[in-house]
Amino acid sequence: MMNLKNPSQPIHAIPEGEYMSCAQLEFFRLRLQDERRRLLESAQSTLEQMRAIARGADSNDRASTEEKLSLEFRIRDRERKLLKKIDDALMRIDEGTYGWCAETGEPIGIPRLLARPTATLCIEAQERHESNKRAYEL
């Protein structure tokens, strides 16, 4: 099993010509699965906290309780979206398309995947998308 605490060491030890080798794919699979597990545990903890708050809340604490719950819901919504991206990335690993740009077919690159394991676009394609988005927002 690869060491997730020092992610760059095992990934960069793989010869450069072997982009998205079995070892690299396994590294990212473990990393994504670990993040998925962490998010699910966090969601479960939030659910338990919300149940406790609902049982113990009195009318004097209602406003602060509602504010806290609102913040938790926003955080969980972002995490729900991230879970979908993680599941999609795990599916791309199974399909053999992980690490390759969905737009250009070029490698996304190990440094980008280490920073954002759910990335689907290489830097150049991502910059084009962001530039186009800004142009349409004006």
Side-chain angles (χ1 to χ4, degrees):
M1 183 187 280
M2 293 188 195
N3 182 359
L4 294 177
K5 300 215 186 293
N6 186 2
S8 60
Q9 208 258 318
I11 285 297
H12 293 300
I14 295 170
E16 202 170 305
E18 295 182 28
Y19 181 73
M20 287 299 107
S21 66
C22 291
Q24 288 171 326
L25 289 171
E26 184 62 16
F27 170 84
F28 284 109
R29 179 188 314 277
L30 292 172
R31 188 168 184 180
L32 288 160
Q33 288 172 339
D34 186 56
E35 178 68 7
R36 185 178 195 286
R37 180 194 49 74
R38 188 189 64 73
L39 289 171
L40 290 173
E41 286 173 358
S42 177
Q44 182 62 37
S45 173
T46 298
L47 182 59
E48 291 167 7
Q49 288 175 3
M50 289 170 56
R51 287 181 181 149
I53 289 171
R55 284 190 300 264
D58 62 21
S59 59
N60 295 331
D61 294 332
R62 189 163 311 275
S64 63
T65 299
E66 287 176 4
E67 182 63 29
K68 183 177 181 178
L69 289 175
S70 177
L71 177 60
E72 287 295 329
F73 282 133
R74 286 193 301 264
I75 291 169
R76 294 305 149 240
D77 187 51
R78 280 192 292 260
E79 289 179 350
R80 179 187 54 80
K81 291 173 184 174
L82 180 54
L83 274 171
K84 171 76 170 107
K85 289 179 181 183
I86 289 171
D87 288 342
D88 290 347
L90 289 168
M91 187 172 64
R92 287 193 309 277
I93 288 173
D94 291 341
E95 294 171 347
T97 59
Y98 182 82
W100 301 95
C101 180
E103 186 176 291
T104 66
E106 295 293 318
I108 292 173
I110 298 297
R112 177 156 167 75
L113 291 170
L114 285 170
R116 188 174 191 90
T118 59
T120 59
L121 300 173
C122 62
I123 292 285
E124 295 80 15
Q126 184 67 40
E127 288 173 349
R128 275 194 304 277
H129 278 266
E130 290 172 5
S131 178
N132 288 340
K133 185 178 177 182
R134 282 190 299 272
Y136 285 114
E137 288 177 354
L138 295 177

